[in-house]
């Protein structure tokens, strides 16, 4: 039986370059298997990369704020604008906290290629939820 790849493996995550003080930078390797016609990376991967960087930023920020370290950002809204095609190779996703309340966080992010050209930008609104509660609900959903 073939092992099911993790989310990070599926997305091609190479490494988290930084993840502190409400900012996150994550490197991904876009593969040809992620592309549709003309060698262009499918938009779902691009959205996922930026979304992951914004989530890391939210968790890093929550860890130093009153929200506490054990939170999971749950998306309420995600908007992605695509500026240029992403191609196979190294891409860098950045995310940062624009503003955080007690339970809601407003995030922004972008995706660049290795040369620094901006490929896409995004904004997101997330609800910061207790991590144990989210994981417990997921376990309950899977076991039924």
């Amino acid at each position: 039986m073939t092992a099911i790849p993790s989310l990070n493996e599926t997305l091609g995550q190479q490494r988290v370059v930084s993840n502190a003080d409400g900012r996150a930078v994550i490197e991904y390797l876009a593969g040809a298997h992620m592309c549709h016609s003309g060698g262009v990376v499918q938009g779902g991967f691009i959205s996922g990369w930026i979304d992951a960087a914004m989530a890391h930023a939210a968790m890093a920020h929550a860890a130093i704020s009153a929200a506490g370290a054990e939170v999971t950002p749950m998306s309420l809204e995600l908007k992605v604008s695509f500026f240029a095609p992403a191609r196979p190779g190294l891409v860098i996703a950045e995310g940062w906290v624009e503003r955080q309340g007690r339970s809601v966080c407003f995030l922004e992010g972008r995706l660049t290629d290795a040369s620094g050209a901006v490929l896409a930008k995004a904004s997101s609104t997330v609800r910061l939820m207790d991590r144990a509660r989210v994981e417990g609900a997921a376990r309950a959903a899977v076991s039924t």
Side-chain angles (χ1 to χ4, degrees), residues 75-109:
S75 296
L76 299 173
E77 176 185 47
L78 175 65
K79 178 184 185 246
V80 181
S81 298
F82 302 93
F83 299 133
R87 306 273 185 197
L90 180 70
V91 292
I92 299 104
E94 301 173 68
W96 58 91
V97 174
E98 277 295 313
R99 183 170 297 229
Q100 180 181 328
R102 213 175 43 220
S103 63
V104 174
C105 196
F106 299 94
L107 308 165
E108 292 195 8

Side-chain angles (χ1 to χ4, degrees), residues 7-116:
L7 175 62
N8 290 337
E9 290 170 325
T10 299
L11 290 176
Q13 180 176 316
Q14 296 301 294
R15 66 185 180 125
V16 176
V17 178
S18 68
N19 187 12
D21 197 25
R23 293 193 74 82
V25 179
I26 305 173
E27 292 181 348
Y28 292 94
L29 186 60
H33 66 287
M34 299 172 174
C35 296
H36 56 72
S37 56
V40 175
V41 175
Q42 198 271 342
F45 286 101
I46 293 165
S47 299
W49 293 329
I50 303 172
D51 186 43
M54 291 187 295
H56 276 263
M59 290 184 291
H61 191 261
I64 61 170
S65 72
E70 295 299 316
V71 298
T72 296
M74 301 297 292
S75 296
L76 299 173
E77 176 185 47
L78 175 65
K79 178 184 185 246
V80 181
S81 298
F82 302 93
F83 299 133
R87 306 273 185 197
L90 180 70
V91 292
I92 299 104
E94 301 173 68
W96 58 91
V97 174
E98 277 295 313
R99 183 170 297 229
Q100 180 181 328
R102 213 175 43 220
S103 63
V104 174
C105 196
F106 299 94
L107 308 165
E108 292 195 8
R110 69 181 184 171
L111 184 75
T112 61
D113 65 14
S115 73

